């Protein structure tokens, strides 16, 4: 009998807390490096070390998962494409907390849990918050000193992130650098996907609610019936 699934499950449980801490440390270290312009060099170097250390945890986790999977490199990458992208773009690693929270919820047997629709809403909200903040940091880092930039403060970056994720796009602040525009494309795609997930979940909840009310209504109990 192949013991790989059991080993993978044990590894997942063992790495929940370290990955969550590493995700928070990565985001915290990156935030300080981007926003704390006047900080002493030694503290900036310390933040860089924390950020790289957290990234190292992600790499170790990815390598161990690859070894436990028993798959070839190409098959593993295809099967874990999103995880590979996130590893190469570590700024997305704080989203790991969403996956960890979901795993914890699934193992809470016998305890009340959020409904599917509430979970979609909660996870989408958490994802939007983390993605918006991380995207704002990345865009601000590359745009603040660019020629002709309209995103000159972190407040501008946060406003731009809100516009982009909600697909409103007023156009009052826009990235002018190549990297900034690349980040914008990714956030647009994520915004469309998240809005679709929330809208679809809310619509399904409404349909289910109205269907249940119709089923529970006694015959002849239609409002206005004599």
């Amino acid at each position: 009998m192949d013991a790989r699934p059991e080993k993978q499950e044990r590894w997942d449980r063992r790495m929940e807390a370290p990955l969550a801490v590493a995700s928070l440390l990565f985001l915290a270290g990156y935030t300080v490096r981007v926003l704390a312009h006047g900080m002493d060099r030694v503290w900036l170097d310390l933040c860089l070390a924390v950020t790289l250390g957290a990234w190292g945890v992600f790499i170790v986790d990815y390598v161990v998962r690859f070894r436990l999977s028993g798959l070839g490199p190409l098959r593993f990458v295809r099967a874990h494409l999103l995880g590979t992208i996130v590893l190469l773009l570590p700024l997305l690693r704080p989203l790991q907390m969403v996956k960890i929270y979901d795993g914890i919820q699934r193992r809470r047997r016998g305890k009340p849990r959020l409904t599917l629709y509430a979970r979609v809403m909660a996870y989408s909200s958490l994802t939007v918050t983390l993605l918006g903040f991380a995207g704002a940091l990345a865009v601000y880092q590359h745009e603040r000193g660019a020629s002709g930039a309209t995103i000159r403060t972190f407040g501008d970056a946060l406003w731009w992130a809100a516009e982009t994720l909600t697909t409103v796009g007023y156009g009052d602040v826009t990235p002018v650098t190549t990297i900034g525009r690349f980040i914008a494309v990714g956030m647009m795609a994520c915004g469309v996907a998240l809005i679709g997930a929330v809208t679809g979940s809310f619509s399904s909840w409404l349909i289910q609610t109205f269907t249940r009310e119709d089923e529970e209504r006694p015959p002849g109990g239609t409002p206005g019936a004599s």
Side-chain angles (χ1 to χ4, degrees):
M1 183 176 178
D2 193 354
R4 288 196 184 102
E6 294 183 2
K7 291 182 178 179
Q8 290 177 343
E9 185 176 353
R10 287 198 299 269
W11 178 258
D12 289 342
R13 288 198 301 267
R14 188 177 300 130
M15 290 301 295
E16 278 179 354
L19 286 175
V21 172
S23 298
L24 289 174
L25 288 176
F26 185 94
L27 184 59
Y30 183 66
T31 300
V32 173
R33 281 188 57 82
V34 172
L35 299 182
H37 308 299
M39 183 176 288
D40 291 340
R41 186 67 188 178
V42 62
W43 292 110
L44 291 177
D45 290 342
L46 177 61
C47 290
L48 178 60
V50 169
T51 303
L52 294 178
W55 197 357
V57 174
F58 307 149
I59 294 174
V60 170
D61 176 66
Y62 186 86
V63 171
V64 172
R65 291 177 189 276
F66 165 66
R67 295 295 300 273
L68 292 177
S69 70
L71 301 174
L74 293 180
R75 289 185 60 192
F76 181 80
V77 169
R78 286 197 298 266
H80 300 82
L81 183 59
L82 181 60
T84 304
I85 294 174
V86 169
L87 179 67
L88 297 176
L89 301 174
L91 192 60
L92 300 178
R93 291 305 300 192
L95 300 181
Q96 177 75 20
M97 289 183 288
V98 179
K99 179 181 177 182
I100 292 172
Y101 177 74
D102 181 63
I104 294 173
Q105 289 293 313
R106 291 179 183 278
R107 289 200 298 274
R108 292 178 59 189
R109 298 177 181 177
K111 297 183 180 181
R113 220 173 53 182
L114 293 175
T115 65
L116 173 62
Y117 307 115
R119 281 164 55 202
V120 171
M121 298 288 187
Y123 298 161
S124 298
S125 300
L126 180 57
T127 300
V128 166
T129 301
L130 292 171
L131 184 61
F133 184 75
L137 280 173
V139 165
Y140 176 58
Q141 179 185 19
H142 294 93
E143 292 289 318
R144 62 188 175 192
S147 175
T150 57
I151 302 176
R152 297 189 175 276
T153 67
F154 186 58
D156 292 337
L158 288 174
W159 173 246
W160 168 84
E163 291 179 349
T164 304
L165 284 174
T166 57
T167 68
V168 173
Y170 288 118
D172 52 346
V173 286
T174 56
V176 298
T177 64
T178 301
I179 296 179
R181 289 173 176 172
F182 178 78
I183 295 170
V185 170
M187 291 186 66
M188 290 175 195
C190 292
V192 170
L194 289 169
I195 289 175
V198 172
T199 303
S201 179
F202 183 68
S203 300
S204 298
W205 175 77
L206 287 177
I207 293 172
Q208 185 184 64
T209 300
F210 292 150
T211 301
R212 184 169 56 249
E213 289 179 354
D214 290 341
E215 291 174 350
E216 293 175 352
R217 184 179 298 133
T222 304
S226 56

